Amino acid sequence: MEQNQQFFHAHHSPMGALASFTVGEFGAHGGMGLELGAPYAGNVFIGYQDGEGVVNAFPFYKGAKDQSERYVQKDDVSSLKEHIFEDVNRDYRWATDGFAAPGISFKIITPFFDIPDPQLAQQQKLQQACCPAVYVELTFDNTSDQDWTGFFALQGDELRWNKLIDGGEQGLVGVSCRDQIGIASQHPNARAFSHFSVQSALSKMGNNECFMLGPTAGLMIDVKAGEKVTVPLVLGFYLAGNVTYNRAMQYYYTQHFTGLQQVLAYAVNHFDDYAAIAQQNDQQLAASKLNQHQQFLVAHATRSYYGSTQWLFDGTESVWVVNEGEYLMMNTLDLTVDMLFFELQKNPWTVKNTLEQFVNHYSFYDEIFHPDQPEKNYRGGISFTHDMGVANNWSPKGQSSYEMAGLDRACFSHMTYEQLTNWVLCCGVYISKTGDVQFATEQRGRLIDCLQSLLNRDHPDAEKRDGIMSFESARTEQGGEITTYDSLDHSLGQARGNIYLAGKSWAAYLAIAKVMQDLGEQQQAELALTAAQRCADKLADSLDPQLGYIPAVLDGHSSSAIIPAIEALVYPYEMGLLDAVSEQGPYARYISVLKTHFSFILNENYCLYADGAWKLSSTADNSWVSKIYLNQYVARKILKLDIADNVASDAAHQRWQTIGASQHACCDQFSSGKPIGSLYYPRCVTNILWLQE
């Protein structure tokens, strides 16, 4: 990476703990945070005091200053000089994040691997997967002729620390705060401390290694002249008891660990095992065909995905939740459908788990109305809510935390039609990838209901259907439905008549048809295939020869050009329906039109920035990079289009993250390269698909 891209925040998280050690941005807050939608507002101190008394540290803190003056009159640390490392080399890989400066280096290790199905796996494997810890390898290389004192410490205004209780029995040295976060090591040179600041501890002010009024704590390490010392240490997280409301649940790790002390001991004892897994992760990505920018984007996205995950236990079984980044909405369905590809590679049971949660708690039947006939409601059908709740608060059954009535195609309106397609697509891809016949059989009737709901939202009168959504959910109370692009203009934000959403309905029909055929439900399969053909024909017929592309909204007024017209091709492709996305298959004309459409708009006149970055819509600067990644895959892998300046585009999108969003870890929503929302976000793991190219 270029030097000006070395400093940026990244998640460093265990799987399923909704916890993050966020660090990396120059002069910014960071630290160990639990259940947050942003970096913890603390400071991270990593460095050493050299033989001249100079405190050398990485610049991972903001407004760090000695707080002793609040308690004492004399400033006992004023003689200490500080030196901040500005020339830092960063080695950012899939599961390790390394920093190096003169005399010091450290590597944050966040291994990830297939999370075993809790209903089938051995307890040993489940304990390994759910351990809520992050691993750090800290190295000091003292080539001087004087002794050093190294340190790794955290600071937060509300943090108060204690030494690990009975840590000596297990060889642990470390500190903990409220038995919720802790730092520990077994290294013989390490000693625990807490004080006002690192400087006050180094000055031995009061000669007390564990001064509990101080908000700063960590480990110190003596490094002799000419000595090189490597210290493995672990950062542990733990929340006991019920952590969710309305439906009370605990973290799954509480089934395997009784408290923070046990987490730290287990993590320390298995440090080498986790480090070996992380090394395998790194090697896998490095050996891929992806360029350096793509490798970075995959690594960055993976970290933020795991930083948003919650593996819960309701007293009987596991419950999987992915929180929506900064918003902390739980299992947002229009993210689930995009994270689907990552989860099916790593842990397919989580997809099934989420689908079943939506069926059991967040499905509903409603009516529909036509905006031109608001006095009359028609039969609608089944659909699913936008999400399941927010910030550990489960929504009431059949309701989301997000959707409001009375809004006309505005942010926070209902996404009823899109969520219907999303559930169907997740279900179809899951069944195709896993061959889970039992689940397919269980969902048979529900998928038939979904088919009828899709048809009704096209038009309740079968003779008047044209293949795309024309009717709004009655839940909008005569407002207008939106898509996942909720804060974009009508080119992508409006649901009715939108070609992006029409493509997803085409794919949903194909998904239902595939499952029905496999179950022997030929009549339902034919009904779905007829609907898919009708949709494809409508979209193919809508290519405007004067514009050169399909307008974003088929209302006779739109002239916006959008890239996600091609997005839905990914679902039949991933289901193995290769004929459906071929120019020689039953939808050949539709596929050919999409290639024409895309090839016409991927330029600076429509959907490309001057530096090669993509714009999802020609009439809006607001873009979601998760969707860019997904559409890049579709264009290259499925449509087999030769995209010019691909590396330049990847480099531009990397700059969006490392420069534009440097304070927010991985972000999804950008306007001209500047983050405007969807910060600290999990959805960007759509780029896992690149590894299949």
Side-chain angles (χ1 to χ4, degrees):
M1 288 180 290
E2 298 177 7
Q3 186 60 39
N4 63 353
Q5 295 189 59
Q6 299 285 357
F7 294 111
F8 56 87
H9 266 331
H11 278 95
H12 304 91
S13 305
M15 301 185 295
L18 192 54
S20 177
F21 174 50
T22 304
V23 71
E25 171 67 320
F26 194 105
H29 283 315
M32 294 177 68
L34 284 158
E35 300 184 331
L36 299 179
Y40 177 74
N43 292 308
V44 179
F45 299 102
I46 305 170
Y48 59 89
Q49 182 182 23
D50 62 26
E52 303 297 326
V54 177
V55 179
N56 303 270
F58 287 95
F60 302 143
Y61 57 94
K62 183 176 182 178
K65 60 182 179 180
D66 178 63
Q67 299 182 36
S68 63
E69 61 189 12
R70 295 177 56 194
Y71 298 94
V72 297
Q73 297 298 315
K74 184 179 179 182
D75 184 355
D76 289 317
V77 299
S78 59
S79 61
L80 293 179
K81 297 180 181 179
E82 290 188 24
H83 171 248
I84 304 302
F85 297 124
E86 296 185 5
D87 186 13
V88 173
N89 182 55
R90 188 168 189 176
D91 186 17
Y92 195 71
R93 299 175 182 258
W94 207 359
T96 61
D97 187 5
F99 300 83
I104 184 173
S105 64
F106 73 96
K107 180 166 61 177
I108 308 169
I109 301 168
T110 48
F112 58 91
F113 47 93
D114 298 353
I115 301 174
D117 187 334
Q119 295 183 332
L120 303 174
Q122 296 177 345
Q123 293 302 304
Q124 181 181 358
K125 293 292 185 182
L126 293 168
Q127 184 179 35
Q128 180 192 37
C130 73
C131 180
V134 169
Y135 308 84
V136 178
E137 190 176 80
L138 179 60
T139 299
F140 301 94
D141 188 7
N142 183 0
T143 58
S144 77
D145 58 0
Q146 295 178 299
D147 295 346
W148 291 357
T149 301
F151 54 84
F152 183 102
L154 304 177
Q155 181 189 69
D157 287 344
E158 78 281 9
L159 300 181
R160 294 299 179 269
W161 304 85
N162 204 341
K163 286 187 176 182
L164 294 180
I165 305 300
D166 298 326
E169 295 182 9
Q170 303 171 54
L172 293 183
V173 176
V175 293
S176 66
C177 179
R178 302 190 185 105
D179 292 328
Q180 294 180 349
I181 61 172
I183 309 170
S185 178
Q186 287 180 328
H187 196 279
N189 287 13
R191 64 180 185 276
F193 80 95
S194 65
H195 223 287
F196 291 121
S197 66
V198 170
Q199 291 89 338
S200 61
L202 287 168
S203 71
K204 295 185 171 56
M205 182 185 120
N207 196 26
N208 191 323
E209 288 188 348
C210 198
F211 179 60
M212 293 178 64
L213 284 180
T216 306
L219 298 177
M220 287 189 176
I221 305 97
D222 293 327
V223 185
K224 300 296 183 182
E227 187 177 39
K228 185 174 183 178
V229 176
T230 296
V231 182
L233 57 91
V234 298
L235 311 179
F237 303 86
Y238 198 91
L239 286 178
N242 291 329
V243 294
T244 65
Y245 310 96
N246 194 21
R247 295 163 59 200
M249 298 182 192
Q250 301 176 339
Y251 278 101
Y252 182 78
Y253 57 67
T254 62
Q255 304 304 300
H256 294 274
F257 300 97
T258 57
L260 178 64
Q261 187 88 18
Q262 192 177 21
V263 167
L264 294 170
Y266 181 92
V268 165
N269 290 330
H270 292 82
F271 189 103
D272 291 342
D273 296 333
Y274 286 113
I277 294 170
Q279 184 178 26
Q280 293 172 1
N281 297 144
D282 289 351
Q283 290 172 346
Q284 180 186 355
L285 186 60
S288 71
K289 297 178 181 179
L290 303 186
N291 63 51
Q292 61 176 332
H293 309 295
Q294 290 176 313
Q295 289 190 28
F296 169 87
L297 293 169
V298 168
H300 207 44
T302 302
R303 283 185 170 84
S304 273
Y305 169 81
Y306 284 118
S308 294
T309 58
Q310 276 180 299
W311 186 359
L312 302 172
F313 186 72
D314 68 1
T316 303
E317 59 185 5
S318 289
V319 174
W320 186 256
V321 173
V322 182
N323 286 261
E324 193 180 342
E326 64 170 320
Y327 311 122
L328 291 175
M329 282 181 281
M330 305 164 70
N331 283 339
T332 302
L333 186 49
D334 45 302
L335 272 69
T336 300
V337 75
D338 290 327
M339 300 181 298
L340 168 74
F341 313 107
F342 184 90
E343 293 181 340
L344 283 175
Q345 285 192 29
K346 300 300 179 185
N347 23 268
W349 71 268
T350 64
V351 177
K352 178 182 176 181
N353 185 278
T354 304
L355 289 169
E356 289 177 336
Q357 288 185 68
F358 271 105
V359 166
N360 295 333
H361 299 279
Y362 298 102
S363 61
F364 60 89
Y365 289 80
D366 72 344
E367 295 182 319
I368 56 176
F369 78 93
H370 195 292
D372 297 331
Q373 297 175 307
E375 72 285 351
K376 182 180 180 181
N377 281 356
Y378 298 87
R379 178 189 174 193
I382 191 173
S383 191
F384 306 87
T385 62
H386 168 270
D387 60 75
M388 299 183 183
V390 61
N392 287 0
N393 290 278
W394 296 101
S395 297
K397 273 199 168 188
Q399 298 180 35
S400 73
S401 68
Y402 173 99
E403 293 160 306
M404 291 193 293
L407 300 175
D408 187 11
R409 296 166 294 177
C411 200
F412 307 116
S413 187
H414 286 263
M415 294 187 193
T416 309
Y417 187 85
E418 175 153 24
Q419 306 304 2
L420 171 60
T421 66
N422 289 339
W423 190 90
V424 169
L425 292 170
C426 289
C427 187
V429 178
Y430 167 79
I431 292 170
S432 295
K433 289 284 190 181
T434 64
D436 191 339
V437 177
Q438 180 180 345
F439 182 75
T441 303
E442 291 171 354
Q443 303 305 323
R444 170 194 162 278
R446 192 157 291 104
L447 283 168
I448 292 173
D449 281 358
C450 289
L451 172 58
Q452 191 59 54
S453 186
L454 286 167
L455 293 171
N456 287 345
R457 282 170 167 78
D458 178 348
H459 203 292
D461 185 344
E463 299 299 319
K464 296 181 180 180
R465 290 171 186 156
D466 63 0
I468 65 173
M469 175 198 165
S470 299
F471 283 69
E472 313 279 357
S473 168
R475 284 196 168 200
T476 65
E477 296 182 4
Q478 302 186 20
E481 289 186 37
I482 57 173
T483 74
T484 188
Y485 297 101
D486 51 5
S487 57
L488 211 136
D489 68 7
H490 289 173
S491 64
L492 275 167
Q494 173 180 321
R496 178 163 36 93
N498 192 288
I499 64 170
Y500 149 73
L501 196 48
K504 292 182 80 169
S505 62
W506 168 78
Y509 286 129
L510 291 178
I512 293 172
K514 174 68 164 59
V515 177
M516 291 297 110
Q517 286 173 334
D518 292 345
L519 292 176
E521 296 282 352
Q522 196 58 37
Q523 183 178 359
Q524 296 296 330
E526 289 297 331
L527 186 60
L529 288 172
T530 299
Q533 189 67 63
R534 184 165 51 233
C535 183
D537 289 344
K538 171 68 174 179
L539 290 167
D541 291 341
S542 298
L543 180 71
D544 189 321
Q546 292 184 322
L547 291 175
Y549 53 87
I550 313 172
V553 180
L554 302 182
D555 60 0
H557 305 292
S558 174
S559 62
S560 298
I562 60 168
I563 286 176
I566 69 171
E567 182 177 316
L569 298 183
V570 71
Y571 303 106
Y573 183 83
E574 290 298 306
M575 290 182 67
L577 303 175
L578 304 186
D579 205 33
V581 296
S582 167
E583 285 191 271
Q584 287 75 47
Y587 310 103
R589 193 164 64 94
Y590 174 46
I591 303 303
S592 179
V593 165
L594 287 179
K595 292 180 75 170
T596 299
H597 168 94
F598 181 84
S599 298
F600 190 89
I601 67 173
L602 192 66
N603 55 66
E604 291 182 39
N605 293 325
Y606 295 97
C607 294
L608 207 61
Y609 290 104
D611 64 356
W614 285 26
K615 288 177 61 177
L616 293 176
S617 170
S618 63
T619 54
D621 281 328
N622 197 348
S623 284
W624 279 248
V625 293
S626 61
K627 296 292 196 177
I628 290 174
Y629 303 156
L630 183 55
N631 282 278
Q632 286 179 320
Y633 175 76
V634 171
R636 292 192 298 253
K637 180 70 172 180
I638 302 175
L639 293 178
K640 303 186 187 312
L641 294 170
D642 183 17
I643 301 173
D645 296 323
N646 185 63
V647 175
S649 296
D650 297 328
H653 297 142
Q654 179 177 343
R655 289 193 295 272
W656 286 14
Q657 300 290 351
T658 58
I659 298 176
S662 63
Q663 295 192 34
H664 309 293
C666 189
C667 294
D668 198 10
Q669 190 179 166
F670 290 82
S671 178
S672 301
K674 304 295 182 184
I676 58 171
S678 302
L679 313 176
Y680 221 56
Y681 221 62
R683 179 160 63 176
C684 300
V685 287
T686 51
N687 59 22
I688 195 69
L689 289 166
W690 294 348
L691 293 174
Q692 299 176 191
E693 294 186 49

